[in-house]
Amino acid sequence: MNLPSDPDVVVVGAGAAGVAATRRLMEAGRSVVVLEARGRVGGRAFTDIATTPYPLDLGCEWLHSADRNPLSEVAYRLGLTIDRSPPPWDRPTLRASMNKSGQREFYKAIDRFYARVDAAARAPLDRKASELLEPGCRWNGLIDAVSTYINGVELDRVSVFDGDNYEDTETDWRIVEGYGTLIVRLGAKLPIRLNAPVERIDHSGKRIEVVTSGGSLSAGAVIVTVPTDVIASGAIRFIPDLPRKREAAAHLPLGVADKVFFALDGADEFEPDTNLYGATDRAATGNYYLRISGRPMLETFFGGGLARELEKGGLPAFTDFALTELTGVMGSAFRTRLRPILATAWAADAYALGSYSHALPGHADERAVLAAPIDDRIFFAGEACSRRQFSTAHGAYRSGNKAANAVLKRVRSAAGAS
Ligand SMILES: Cc1cc2nc3c(=O)[nH]c(=O)nc-3n(C[C@H](O)[C@H](O)[C@H](O)COP(=O)(O)OP(=O)(O)OC[C@H]3O[C@@H](n4cnc5c(N)ncnc54)[C@H](O)[C@@H]3O)c2cc1C
């Protein structure tokens, strides 16, 4: 595809936000070029279709708030298959990992915790969510573990206000062909230049110069959709500098969540999507989904400090940890039924530097600071810009549409003024 060197708009990043923004701008007749650092479209939406006969979502997998998620409708329109069966975390946990009365007690304890978060969100001052754990409660470790899956960090790094802002209808569906596949399909035929990491955005002149190692483009407006840790790291230099953006991004860091996939012999012994916790008394534990999506596989979710640590040792470290926990629950023979397939490493990924954003305590309002345009010509989008759907692919998608609409509004008002 021949891409213009002076489009109306340059979009930086071809994840869910960048793809949404580009489609919206093109529908409105604007010329756009997307500069994407990776050799593929989708960013943190990535379906691996090469490793097993089953599509594996290495990033986003669940259409959260699926009954209100705009991407549910988009997936349906594109002919993808939606699986509406309940997720593992909404099913009974395997009794070997937690007996029935334990499960009842845990659900009551976590409900009480969230009720306290809800009440604390109405106070004038923000707090660490960990301050709302019930002193001495036997389930505190597991409630913290759940935070590492949801937020990518332990509760002492989570803002009560931000957590309370998150909108969730608690309906979770999946796309059989993969969530990453959906974003790739949405990105098909868009004017995307791959392997083009942006190094500099110079907005000192009348037009904005966007510089990659392979050359530069000039544009009237730019939409930046890269993850917060990439902005905070200074990997993209703004001229003049935008220190307040870097500061806001640093207050909205990405937590870490990683997945490990295993082939599982004799998976039919389990109900599809059976839930299992490696331990029930600590934050540093894996969440295991047996016979995930009915496949002969085990999918494991690690989050927070544990994921960050295990990533350093790659697949062997994740496998060792998982096998120790699993044999502790299922008995030593279970080890022989598992064959490791792959582990993700989102923190080590230079173009993500983590999995999804959370606001540090006291900084929930920084999402609006991050999302605010500069001089009505540098716009920001991406999951971290969403006040109520942060950390999700649909939050990213909506923020991309919103930024594109803001660009179009500015173009219309500029045309009206001339
Ligand atoms: C393990 C894991 C599980 C998840 N599970 C779910 C889930 O079940 N449901 C859900 O809704 N969400 C989930 N998410 C979160 C979801 O994937 C993200 O919120 C969403 O995909 C983010 O989209 P985005 O467009 O904001 O950012 P990204 O997808 O990160 O897109 C930004 C793009 O910018 C590119 N980029 C970076 N630096 C540069 C540069 N210098 N120049 C040019 N391009 C650059 C990146 O390569 C990337 O393609 C999960 C994420 C992970 C990692």
Side-chain angles (χ1 to χ4, degrees):
M1 196 186 298
N2 238 347
L3 304 181
S5 59
D6 57 349
D8 297 329
V9 187
V10 165
V11 173
V12 183
V19 164
T22 306
R23 289 174 66 94
R24 175 78 194 97
L25 291 166
M26 292 184 71
E27 274 162 22
R30 295 288 128 199
S31 65
V32 188
V33 172
V34 187
L35 296 174
E36 166 54 51
R38 300 174 197 269
R40 62 168 180 82
V41 170
R44 285 172 276 164
F46 179 31
T47 306
D48 176 331
I49 51 169
T51 306
T52 74
Y54 311 102
L56 302 180
D57 269 319
L58 306 191
C60 55
E61 179 170 353
W62 299 93
L63 289 156
H64 294 312
S65 298
D67 47 346
R68 279 208 233 144
N69 184 329
L71 289 167
S72 302
E73 168 67 28
V74 173
Y76 177 76
R77 253 194 290 120
L78 289 175
L80 296 172
T81 323
I82 293 182
D83 175 356
R84 297 176 186 224
S85 56
W89 60 86
D90 278 352
R91 296 174 188 251
T93 297
L94 197 76
R95 294 245 194 114
S97 139
M98 208 195 279
N99 65 26
K100 259 194 162 172
S101 71
Q103 291 182 47
R104 267 196 306 271
E105 271 183 43
F106 170 59
Y107 288 126
K108 278 190 197 153
I110 203 163
D111 284 351
R112 287 198 304 273
F113 170 74
Y114 281 114
R116 287 192 296 276
V117 169
D118 207 34
R122 277 176 257 125
L125 285 184
D126 196 6
R127 307 165 68 174
K128 296 176 184 178
S130 56
E131 292 175 15
L132 301 171
L133 289 168
E134 205 175 298
C137 174
R138 159 212 195 307
W139 300 106
N140 284 349
L142 194 54
I143 295 173
D144 212 10
V146 170
S147 170
T148 70
Y149 312 140
I150 296 176
N151 302 302
V153 285
E154 290 71 11
L155 290 164
D156 60 346
R157 313 254 312 155
V158 175
S159 147
V160 164
F161 285 4
D162 196 50
D164 191 65
N165 284 339
Y166 182 74
E167 194 176 69
D168 186 4
T169 67
E170 296 186 8
T171 303
D172 303 282
W173 298 338
R174 54 204 131 162
I175 300 169
V176 173
E177 296 84 353
Y179 211 148
T181 302
L182 169 63
I183 305 301
V184 168
R185 295 254 180 111
L186 279 176
K189 301 205 181 107
L190 296 186
I192 301 174
R193 183 170 298 162
L194 296 174
N195 301 305
V198 169
E199 295 173 350
R200 202 162 73 233
I201 298 177
D202 184 339
H203 55 113
S204 57
K206 192 147 185 272
R207 283 180 69 80
I208 305 173
E209 203 193 354
V210 185
V211 181
T212 70
S213 54
S216 67
L217 297 179
S218 113
V222 175
I223 302 180
V224 178
T225 74
V226 303
T228 49
D229 281 52
V230 173
I231 295 177
S233 74
I236 298 178
R237 194 148 70 89
F238 291 93
I239 303 172
D241 194 11
L242 300 176
R244 189 66 187 94
K245 284 287 175 198
R246 268 191 285 112
E247 187 186 21
H251 287 143
L252 303 166
L254 302 196
V256 183
D258 277 313
K259 297 182 188 180
V260 187
F261 294 89
F262 293 85
L264 172 61
D265 281 349
D268 291 0
E269 175 197 334
F270 304 104
E271 287 295 312
D273 300 310
T274 295
N275 191 51
L276 187 160
Y277 295 107
T280 58
D281 58 356
R282 58 172 188 251
T285 189
N287 190 187
Y288 303 85
Y289 306 148
L290 297 153
R291 202 179 165 197
I292 182 76
S293 299
R295 300 167 181 171
M297 293 180 73
L298 167 77
E299 180 179 329
T300 302
F301 214 77
F302 291 106
L306 176 65
R308 207 175 271 282
E309 192 52 39
L310 292 176
E311 256 199 30
K312 294 179 192 154
L315 183 59
F318 278 118
T319 302
D320 272 1
F321 188 92
L323 290 180
T324 304
E325 285 206 315
L326 285 165
T327 52
V329 175
M330 307 291 289
S332 57
F334 197 64
R335 170 184 297 268
T336 60
R337 295 170 59 180
L338 292 166
R339 185 176 50 80
I341 298 172
L342 67 79
T344 63
W346 286 103
D349 179 322
Y351 299 123
L353 297 174
S355 302
Y356 26 79
S357 71
H358 59 283
L360 295 175
H363 297 288
D365 291 345
E366 298 283 279
R367 295 200 186 275
V369 176
L370 182 69
I374 302 285
D375 298 334
D376 238 3
R377 59 191 200 136
I378 304 183
F379 297 80
F380 289 81
E383 54 88 7
C385 293
S386 170
R387 181 168 172 268
R388 294 181 64 79
Q389 289 136 14
F390 55 83
S391 79
T392 68
H394 64 284
Y397 177 81
R398 281 200 164 120
S399 79
N401 273 325
K402 194 170 167 192
N405 285 335
V407 170
L408 294 171
K409 190 169 162 208
R410 170 234 175 211
V411 172
R412 276 194 295 271
S413 63
S418 64

